[in-house]
Amino acid sequence: MDKKYILLGKTVAELEKFMLDNAQTKYRAKQVYNRLYLKSVGDIDSMTDLPLATREMLKEKAQICSAVIKDKQISKDGTIKYLFENQDGTYSEAVLMRFDNRANLTACISTQVGCPMGCSFCATAKLGFIRNLSYEEIVQQIYLIQADTGLKVTNIVFMGQGEPLLNFDNLIKSIKIFREHFQVGARRITVSTCGLIPEINKLAELDFQSTLAISLHAPNQKKREEIMPVSKKYDFENLIKCLKKYADKTGRRVTVEYVLMKDINDSVNDAKELAIAIAKLKSNVNLIIYNENEKSHYKKPLKESIQKFKYILEASGKKVTIRLERGADIDAACGQLSAKFNK
Ligand code: SAH
């Protein structure tokens, strides 16, 4: 069977060409465009402002997405975890989070199936690397969530499965589509990386306007390379240097992410050392409380060490937030995405 034309991810010009090639008008292309990006709909039949014949043509020649929602789990706290089945039978995951008292709807999306980075504490790492997602597959995650909930996603974080900077071109292309077509502002998009120096330099060259978050997780090279193999290739000191350059070039503060793990990186000394290491880096700190999982021996920190850690960083002049844990009961929290179906 011939592969159908995937509508999502296409520009108006591309849709116009497709529609003209199929005996339709430019006006119809514009209608399809609006249906795709301004009002995500579940299927072609729901594009009711199109004449029946146009919808029939579309159903024959095209499809909105290549992936489908395979499963959906809803947490006690309202977080929804989606499992998508891609055309090749692999599975991707995304998580939708709502916070009380905030109008924001934040989606956490994936850029790869599995991940090659091998961080010792992360469940996704256990899957190994399967493949990069295409930009269409990245964009579809937001579309399918919006079509499913009928709600507009306002914030996007690239913190699902995979290392976004290893899928650089598709990452950049998907961000362009989110900004231009889905109308999500650059400032409402965050890309999290484990610290690939050449790619961070590339982002700096692009004058990247979204937020860059760095999974630092340790206060020095010795501790970092024990839990994050990437640090053997791109060491701590050079990473901090590269981030300083990035912040100067883009004028944007980076977010330092730090997963607190009991007796690994949560001591008073760790906090002091971290404060010194990032003192000259324009940054905010986001502390993440370790999410325990059955595949790992790491433990959550004690409440007392979390508070001390936060206090020491604040006293050094940093703005510190503690990431609210979402969806842990459905394995949707940070570091828990492992699409158990992937073989
Ligand atoms: N590869 C990118 C994107 C993943 S973001 C990166 O490393 O930044 C997911 C975040 O959750 C990362 O900061 C990751 O280090 C963190 N994480 C992984 N396992 C975790 C766990 N069990 N508990 C809390 N955070 C975890």
Side-chain angles (χ1 to χ4, degrees):
M1 197 181 74
D2 273 356
K3 274 210 179 138
K4 290 187 176 179
Y5 185 80
I6 304 294
L7 297 170
L8 198 75
K10 302 297 190 295
T11 60
V12 183
E14 285 168 331
L15 289 174
E16 280 175 356
K17 174 160 188 327
F18 172 77
M19 293 300 266
L20 290 173
D21 287 347
N22 286 285
Q24 302 287 324
T25 58
K26 284 190 174 183
Y27 176 70
R28 296 280 175 242
K30 186 76 192 163
Q31 284 179 304
V32 171
Y33 179 90
N34 287 340
R35 282 298 183 162
L36 287 178
Y37 298 114
L38 301 182
K39 190 176 184 314
S40 303
V41 291
D43 54 22
I44 291 169
D45 280 326
S46 316
M47 297 184 165
T48 45
D49 48 346
L50 295 173
L52 192 61
T54 307
R55 278 181 268 157
E56 290 302 326
M57 181 285 288
L58 284 174
K59 282 199 293 190
E60 188 192 331
K61 301 269 173 72
Q63 61 195 67
I64 299 178
C65 296
S66 58
V68 294
I69 297 177
K70 180 78 180 170
D71 190 30
K72 182 169 116 175
Q73 283 172 275
I74 304 178
S75 157
K76 290 194 293 252
D77 64 28
T79 299
I80 307 177
K81 180 165 79 167
Y82 287 91
L83 182 74
F84 305 111
E85 183 170 7
N86 300 312
Q87 248 170 352
D88 67 352
T90 56
Y91 294 94
S92 301
E93 288 171 311
V95 179
L96 181 69
M97 291 162 284
R98 252 184 278 197
F99 299 96
D100 291 341
N101 313 319
R102 289 195 219 164
N104 293 350
L105 207 56
T106 300
C108 170
I109 59 174
S110 299
T111 50
Q112 300 183 315
V113 182
C115 181
M117 301 313 304
C119 299
S120 65
F121 46 84
C122 179
T124 306
K126 306 278 187 291
L127 278 177
F129 175 62
I130 300 170
R131 69 171 174 87
N132 277 334
L133 294 178
S134 65
Y135 74 88
E136 286 104 333
E137 288 169 329
I138 298 175
V139 170
Q140 282 171 26
Q141 300 172 58
I142 297 298
Y143 181 87
L144 288 167
I145 290 174
Q146 293 190 159
D148 181 59
T149 57
L151 299 169
K152 185 172 172 356
V153 169
T154 60
N155 296 57
I156 298 174
V157 297
F158 285 85
M159 297 188 186
Q161 281 192 21
E163 169 48 50
L165 298 190
L166 281 181
N167 192 4
F168 198 87
D169 294 345
N170 287 318
L171 170 74
I172 299 299
K173 197 154 181 190
S174 68
I175 291 177
K176 189 165 185 287
I177 294 170
F178 289 142
R179 292 178 59 181
E180 286 175 11
H181 304 330
F182 284 80
Q183 301 183 349
V184 177
R187 303 288 163 97
R188 291 178 175 270
I189 299 175
T190 299
V191 173
S192 179
T193 177
C194 65
L196 303 175
I197 292 179
E199 281 76 13
I200 296 173
N201 290 336
K202 258 164 82 180
L203 285 181
E205 285 310 312
L206 289 178
D207 234 338
F208 194 57
Q209 285 306 305
S210 295
T211 302
L212 181 69
I214 173 81
S215 292
L216 199 60
H217 306 335
N220 58 42
Q221 172 64 14
K222 185 167 176 296
K223 285 205 170 188
R224 193 166 195 261
E225 71 180 8
E226 273 168 24
I227 53 175
M228 300 180 72
V230 65
S231 213
K232 296 198 175 102
K233 189 159 180 199
Y234 302 117
D235 71 64
F236 189 88
E237 236 170 81
N238 282 322
L239 178 60
I240 301 288
K241 263 191 216 151
C242 151
L243 292 168
K244 279 184 192 152
K245 238 177 48 197
Y246 174 91
D248 289 340
K249 173 86 174 49
T250 59
R252 313 258 309 131
R253 242 164 234 283
V254 300
T255 300
V256 171
E257 299 169 282
Y258 194 103
V259 177
L260 288 166
M261 293 177 269
K262 186 168 182 287
D263 298 333
I264 301 288
N265 62 359
D266 66 339
S267 73
V268 165
N269 273 339
D270 292 327
K272 287 183 180 162
E273 212 180 330
L274 177 66
I276 293 169
I278 61 172
K280 295 212 172 72
L281 172 64
K282 288 189 204 97
S283 56
N284 300 320
V285 178
N286 190 210
L287 296 176
I288 310 170
I289 296 163
Y290 186 70
N291 292 306
E292 297 180 6
N293 58 73
E294 79 250 22
K295 290 183 197 130
S296 139
H297 60 278
Y298 297 106
K299 295 277 170 248
K300 266 184 203 308
L302 301 175
K303 282 218 170 69
E304 194 192 307
S305 14
I306 302 169
Q307 287 314 323
K308 275 191 192 154
F309 207 96
K310 180 168 187 265
Y311 176 76
I312 291 167
L313 284 164
E314 279 173 343
S316 80
K318 294 288 174 199
K319 187 176 153 230
V320 184
T321 47
I322 297 182
R323 188 176 293 178
L324 288 175
E325 182 196 82
R326 310 305 285 183
D329 54 331
I330 54 167
D331 286 344
C334 302
Q336 294 188 319
L337 295 184
S338 67
K340 291 177 177 136
F341 299 90
N342 275 318
K343 305 219 169 58

